[in-house]
Amino acid sequence: MVSFEYGCDGPRAVVVGIDGSETGWRALHYAVGQARRQGGRVVAVYADRLPSVAFATAVPLAAAAVTDPQEDTLLQELRAGVEELGPQYGVEVAFEVVAGDPVLALTRVAGRERADAVVVGASVQAGHKLFGSVAVRVVRSGRWPVTVVP
């Protein structure tokens, strides 16, 4: 039996973080193009951060269960965008919503999928210069090549 080896023949699975931002959409398009050229598939991951209210209440599950209508609309838009791009470019795609921190969500899915690459959009938030962007934190995990799309 042949054992799995990361990055031996080009990416078979590319995990991409999407969040609805312009750089997130560009990252998705880049990942789909990379997968198309190299015969791989794309797993698009949206990290659903737990509401900060959940940490301040005695009933975190009840607070986290409240659905924000804007969030629901964003998820529908993201899912539709991912599902439209796959067939358009002949690439197998999947869309996942993972609760929690974006870095943990991406690394968890990348590990499970045995991804060869992770793609993220460049951060435009000023606070990331101080605390580190998602891209920098995924790079520090040290397990996958990370492409940051501007």
Side-chain angles (χ1 to χ4, degrees):
M1 184 170 122
V2 177
S3 66
F4 178 78
E5 182 179 346
Y6 285 100
C8 59
D9 289 327
R12 302 301 279 164
V14 177
V15 171
V16 58
I18 60 173
D19 60 2
S21 68
E22 188 175 330
T23 61
W25 284 114
R26 284 197 296 256
L28 174 63
H29 281 84
Y30 182 91
V32 167
Q34 183 178 16
R36 181 184 55 80
R37 288 185 300 277
Q38 297 180 325
R41 62 190 175 79
V42 172
V43 180
V45 178
Y46 174 78
D48 188 12
R49 295 178 187 253
L50 297 174
S52 57
V53 173
F55 297 108
T57 66
V59 188
L61 292 177
V66 175
T67 304
D68 180 1
Q70 287 181 328
E71 183 86 6
D72 195 39
T73 302
L74 173 63
L75 291 178
Q76 291 173 1
E77 180 183 316
L78 292 173
R79 182 178 305 281
V82 170
E83 291 174 352
E84 180 181 306
L85 273 181
Q88 183 178 352
Y89 291 98
V91 174
E92 179 186 338
V93 295
F95 175 71
E96 290 191 32
V97 177
V98 179
D101 176 71
V103 174
L104 294 177
L106 286 170
T107 57
R108 191 174 323 137
V109 172
R112 184 195 72 220
E113 295 294 324
R114 296 175 18 168
D116 293 296
V118 175
V119 179
V120 295
S123 176
V124 294
Q125 295 181 1
H128 287 170
K129 294 192 187 313
L130 296 174
F131 303 111
S133 68
V134 169
V136 169
R137 292 172 52 213
V138 173
V139 167
R140 286 186 181 148
S141 76
R143 295 196 50 208
W144 304 274
V146 179
T147 301
V148 181
V149 178

